[in-house]
Amino acid sequence: MRETLTNKQLTGRRMTKERAEFRRLAQSTEVGTVTRGQLAVLSQSLPCTGLITSTESHLLTVIVNTARADAFDKGGRPIVFKSNNQLGFEINRSPGRVSRILSRLFDAGLVTMQDSANFKRYPIRDGEGEISDACGIDLRVLIARYRELDALVRQKREEKRASDAAARRFRDALRSARYALVNAVDLTKTALASLASRIDRIAAFVGIAGRAPAFVLRRAAILLEWLVGRSLKASMRPQSVSDYDNMTCTNVENDMHKQITNPHPFDLSKEERRPAKAGQHNSPKAGYTSKRAFEESLTRGSDPDNRQSRPQQGIVALDDVWRAAPSLKDYFTTAPRSWSDLARIAPQICRLAGVSEDARLRAVDQMGQQAAAIAIAVTFEKYSRQEVSSPGGYLRAMTDRAASGELHLSRSVFGLAARNSTEALN
């Protein structure tokens, strides 16, 4: 005679090693260190970590807000007894979907659960009316892991900010590289084709900037900026090299050079072989250092109200500028050795801060190469400190103040340097 086989249906949720560990952690947790509001904010931020989805985060937030606020005080029991039907109504999901979501939250170590035989949720009280045991959704494991999960959320947000900054820098470098490629008319066709091929290979390797890792974007941006600088240097070389470069320096604007020779040494005309003073003031071929420009520069330099429009190197030292803007060390490992080096990297600093080329050129026209480079460094440092939300507008405001004689770059530089020194000591 054949034996009758009876299939016994298991009650309760499947218990795994990880779930048992989470339950032990919940039972040993001291309640009262974290408030309900902190857990609600954390549950809303967890999707950015990838641990749970937005729907699971929504259900977890509803569960946290369902618990009483005093249940998170010392000696409380933050356990929720709502049914799957009621939770599904509040998040607009079916009871079966809620049950599956609760299982995933259990596996992720965000809640623990103890089911009764009939899957009902209710507290078990002792003779004094205190809850000795309960069948419901326990939030104590979330309290135990609050510091860990909050640190993970902060880490993901910091990574996102770094990735966005690297993506912006890469897009700006790629745009500048293609712009330089279009305007590099002095390069040969072979050099242009080689430069275009390298830019295209870098762009193809990175792909979509929003999905690439931050370190890949930073390295690609550095390489593109190097290519732009190299192409610009190559295109400017035929114009900068001249027979007179080693003998005269008529176009020096901020250095301490003084013109003492005739700017046309090989001209046989007797009229142009004048003394140095006459050649500097009256020569019609002396570039933009003509009589009118020379007199205007002298007037600006002698006016006490406009001293800061053309600052000399003795007012602010180059080392002071580098100490006042330590954020530049993250992008330029080698400190500039001269004011010309600082002026050379000023366009790159503007691209990093998002300052337009028009704002930089206005600053150069009003303040000169040296003062404009100092102002750009100060602007970048304040932008890195998040003290300035619009670096382009801040640089334009400094330019306007320089035009009215109210700009004091030395005070800004020394103030930033002192603040950095104080923060380093603290």
Side-chain angles (χ1 to χ4, degrees), residues 198-303:
R198 298 188 66 177
I199 294 174
D200 292 339
R201 285 201 303 270
I202 295 173
F205 178 79
V206 173
I208 301 176
R211 300 178 183 177
F215 73 94
V216 173
L217 293 171
R218 285 193 292 266
R219 295 189 65 179
I222 292 173
L223 184 56
L224 287 173
E225 291 169 357
W226 177 79
L227 288 175
V228 170
R230 183 179 179 183
S231 62
L232 291 177
K233 184 177 180 180
S235 61
M236 293 174 61
R237 188 179 297 117
Q239 300 176 0
S240 61
V241 178
S242 174
D243 293 335
Y244 305 146
D245 282 350
N246 295 328
M247 305 185 66
T248 62
C249 193
T250 60
N251 293 335
V252 171
E253 183 176 1
N254 290 311
D255 293 339
M256 301 301 294
H257 177 81
K258 294 183 179 180
Q259 178 68 31
I260 59 173
T261 59
N262 185 7
H264 302 280
F266 299 109
D267 203 323
L268 298 179
S269 174
K270 294 182 179 180
E271 295 180 357
E272 294 182 352
R273 288 183 178 271
R274 291 188 290 264
K277 181 178 180 181
Q280 179 67 32
H281 284 261
N282 301 321
S283 174
K285 299 181 181 180
Y288 59 81
T289 52
S290 58
K291 178 179 180 180
R292 181 177 179 182
F294 186 74
E295 290 175 352
E296 289 178 355
S297 64
L298 285 178
T299 303
R300 287 194 295 267
S302 59
D303 190 355

